[in-house]
Amino acid sequence: YIIQTGKALPFQCLAVTFTNKAAKEMQERLNSMIGADNHVSWLGTFHKIGLKILRNHPEKVGLSSGFGILDASDQERLLKQIMVDFHIDLKDNPPQYILDQIQRLKDKGLMPEQAEKRCESDPLTLKLYKAYQERLLATNMADFGDLLLYCLELFQKHPEILTALRKQFKYILVDEYQDTNIVQYLWLRLLTNPEHNNICCVGDDDQSIYSWRGAEIGNILKFEQDFPNATVIRLESNYRSTAHILSGASGLIAHNRN
């Protein structure tokens, strides 16, 4: 609708979701409606869009062009090497647990120095987080958590880049907003142009299920505070569940404190 009514060109729309599968289906649906020639190049997962931004400015965050992305097994292998170098017992301190703690800090948008200043974790995790980030930079690598974390650093230290992106993205559209974490929330807030606040978030505060991986339900609960002139459109028809399931779920949700 935005493109067909001339409100913005395809490259002026930013649309983010959580999974590659959802992004692929969205792209296919869009192509069938507006034609592949009008390809919306800024549609994808949070991490894919974050990577695209970083590829344009790697040197601004200490990386070089062509930097690599570590997968989960490589992350664990790297952390194990660092722990062995520090003579830290791997049985008493499982690397996967430490990695999970590091990822939680990244989900909160905290670099090692910030996390240390706020005492956000135990001393060992903070020490390893710092060494882990230094080793990543030294080998021109990043992990998935860095793709948004470095974007925050980029936006905060180089406001001219943020200003250019804000001017480019006339409309921002977000899927499954209830499952965003803090770093995703900050990323979206920074990219939204305060002159017009054209951000549209779809979500359901009764359906947040990802707190275990850093999702912050407060993001959707305070949306109207963050954007005081926001219009709320309630989608209250359910086409997916039977009446029995709906009445059971509604009976339970009625007791939610928030």
Side-chain angles (χ1 to χ4, degrees):
Y1 171 78
I2 288 167
I3 292 164
Q4 287 180 332
T5 55
K7 293 179 182 295
L9 295 168
F11 77 93
Q12 294 174 316
C13 299
L14 170 64
V16 285
T17 186
F18 279 83
T19 67
N20 288 318
K21 183 182 177 184
K24 183 171 181 279
E25 186 170 337
M26 287 163 71
Q27 193 66 262
E28 287 170 354
R29 288 188 190 187
L30 261 180
N31 289 347
S32 69
M33 288 188 280
I34 63 175
D37 291 343
N38 287 322
H39 185 71
V40 178
S41 55
W42 291 90
L43 184 157
T45 62
F46 279 94
H47 292 102
K48 181 183 176 183
I49 301 295
L51 174 60
K52 188 170 180 176
I53 292 170
L54 282 179
R55 288 282 185 216
N56 292 330
H57 311 281
E59 72 289 345
K60 303 288 189 187
V61 294
L63 294 165
S64 305
S65 60
F67 64 87
I69 310 294
L70 286 188
D71 63 20
S73 58
D74 287 334
Q75 286 177 258
E76 188 167 353
R77 196 175 299 115
L78 176 62
L79 186 65
K80 280 180 180 176
Q81 287 174 1
I82 293 168
M83 292 174 75
V84 168
D85 292 345
F86 283 175
H87 307 293
I88 295 168
D89 192 294
L90 301 183
K91 287 184 179 177
D92 290 342
N93 304 280
Q96 189 54 59
Y97 172 78
I98 302 285
L99 267 180
D100 287 344
Q101 298 308 302
I102 290 172
Q103 189 55 55
R104 291 291 78 80
L105 294 171
K106 293 189 178 191
D107 287 343
K108 291 179 179 179
L110 298 173
M111 287 289 190
E113 304 75 25
Q114 296 166 310
E116 196 170 17
K117 199 176 288 184
R118 297 190 194 185
C119 300
E120 282 279 343
S121 193
D122 61 275
L124 177 61
T125 297
L126 292 171
K127 176 183 176 180
L128 289 172
Y129 180 18
K130 186 178 181 183
Y132 174 76
Q133 282 309 102
E134 288 171 352
R135 195 74 63 91
L136 283 175
L137 282 173
T139 53
N140 199 34
M141 301 293 286
D143 65 20
F144 283 104
D146 291 328
L147 301 182
L148 294 180
L149 189 63
Y150 279 142
C151 276
L152 289 192
E153 183 181 343
L154 184 69
F155 298 160
Q156 289 161 347
K157 292 185 177 178
H158 302 277
E160 72 283 359
I161 293 172
L162 178 60
T163 299
L165 287 169
R166 281 178 170 177
K167 284 182 179 175
Q168 178 184 335
F169 298 135
K170 290 188 175 180
Y171 289 88
I172 295 178
L173 303 103
V174 190
D175 188 29
E176 302 287 7
Y177 190 65
Q178 77 278 353
D179 292 328
T180 53
N181 57 34
I182 292 173
V183 74
Q184 289 161 340
Y185 165 80
L186 294 171
W187 186 83
L188 287 167
R189 284 298 305 272
L190 284 167
L191 282 172
T192 302
N193 193 325
E195 290 180 17
H196 51 59
N197 281 338
N198 281 339
I199 181 168
C200 172
C201 297
V202 179
D204 182 354
D205 53 6
D206 289 328
Q207 287 195 62
S208 183
I209 60 171
Y210 288 118
S211 58
W212 57 273
R213 69 174 188 200
E216 177 50 67
I217 188 63
N219 293 352
I220 194 168
L221 294 177
K222 65 181 181 179
F223 186 82
E224 291 171 83
Q225 296 170 30
D226 290 338
F227 303 97
N229 296 319
T231 300
V232 178
I233 299 168
R234 300 193 180 280
L235 307 176
E236 297 186 323
S237 296
N238 186 306
Y239 301 97
R240 187 180 287 174
S241 306
T242 63
H244 282 317
I245 291 171
L246 279 178
S247 61
S250 297
L252 182 65
I253 289 166
H255 297 283
N256 284 1
R257 279 187 294 246
N258 295 317

